[in-house]
Amino acid sequence: MARIPKKKERAFSLLINKYQQRLYWHLRKMIIIHEDADDLLQNTFIKAWQNIERFRGDAAFYTWLYRIATNEALNHLNKKRLELINSPEDLEYLLSKQLDTDPLFSGDEIEKRLQKSILTLPDKQRLVFNMKYFDNLKYEEMAEILETSVGALKASYFHAVKKIEALIKKELF
């Protein structure tokens, strides 16, 4: 339907309504800051709109959108790190501080500890952890989105869990 010129806008509007919330939370978990996640979500849909003709249909449309959003998030984080290159604070520290002051964060203290622990992970590990733990994606879906092997994802998730467990235990004692 999205490839038919007369139905393209309507089809795309339906897709946005269907996937907007899921993609927003995927981005928000990586980016933390609401406004940035909102901007990246908009960029995701703009890129999808501009490239809809290139969508081959080998994967589900959601997988394609998820890949675009993921690339937007990773590019954004890399750009932010470059902006902070001469700063004494790193991006993870600033995002962690953002969690403390974010009026839109509705989690309790345990949730905040978990989120701060997740922020200490390398971007790709954090991405894999979020996709598995929060989004409950299957490794096969993740492999399609991230264009990597299931084995690599399982290893990445295992290491992420171990790091998070160690950090949380350290904080409790």
Side-chain angles (χ1 to χ4, degrees):
M1 190 169 145
R3 290 190 178 137
I4 301 169
K6 290 182 180 178
K7 295 185 179 190
K8 183 177 179 181
E9 283 186 39
R10 175 74 180 129
F12 207 74
S13 177
L14 291 171
L15 291 169
I16 288 173
N17 288 336
K18 183 173 182 176
Y19 298 120
Q20 184 173 15
Q21 190 171 3
R22 285 172 68 189
L23 289 170
Y24 168 80
W25 285 110
H26 168 64
L27 290 164
R28 180 72 189 270
K29 285 186 284 272
M30 285 297 291
I31 304 303
I32 304 300
I33 300 168
H34 163 74
E35 291 81 6
D36 290 348
D38 228 20
D39 289 346
L40 294 177
L41 179 64
Q42 191 171 30
N43 291 349
T44 297
F45 284 120
I46 289 170
K47 284 186 178 182
W49 173 261
Q50 292 170 337
N51 296 292
I52 193 76
E53 286 80 21
R54 292 188 196 162
F55 177 65
R56 296 183 311 262
D58 325 356
F61 194 77
Y62 178 69
T63 303
W64 185 64
L65 283 174
Y66 214 111
R67 184 178 304 139
I68 295 170
T70 298
N71 289 336
E72 286 292 310
L74 293 174
N75 290 337
H76 176 80
L77 292 171
N78 288 335
K79 181 181 171 191
K80 288 290 184 188
R81 279 194 188 88
L82 284 174
E83 290 171 6
L84 294 170
I85 200 111
N86 294 320
S87 171
E89 298 173 335
D90 65 2
L91 180 60
E92 288 69 26
Y93 174 76
L94 294 175
L95 292 176
S96 182
K97 279 181 25 182
Q98 177 71 28
L99 275 174
D100 289 329
T101 60
D102 189 346
L104 299 175
F105 181 78
S106 60
D108 58 16
E109 194 57 37
I110 293 171
E111 177 69 18
K112 194 177 285 187
R113 268 193 210 151
L114 173 62
Q115 289 299 328
K116 286 181 176 188
S117 297
I118 293 168
L119 281 173
T120 67
L121 299 172
D123 290 344
K124 297 269 178 147
Q125 246 179 32
R126 182 161 37 125
L127 182 60
V128 170
F129 181 84
N130 285 337
M131 292 169 82
K132 184 70 180 153
Y133 185 80
F134 291 110
D135 299 339
N136 203 25
L137 291 179
K138 293 180 173 103
Y139 285 112
E140 292 75 18
E141 292 172 299
M142 293 165 53
E144 206 172 317
I145 292 165
L146 300 174
E147 298 176 328
T148 191
S149 72
V150 169
L153 292 169
K154 286 181 179 182
S156 191
Y157 183 73
F158 174 81
H159 292 297
V161 168
K162 291 299 174 198
K163 287 178 186 176
I164 291 168
E165 285 175 351
L167 282 169
I168 290 176
K169 283 180 186 175
K170 182 179 163 185
E171 285 184 19
L172 293 176
F173 298 106

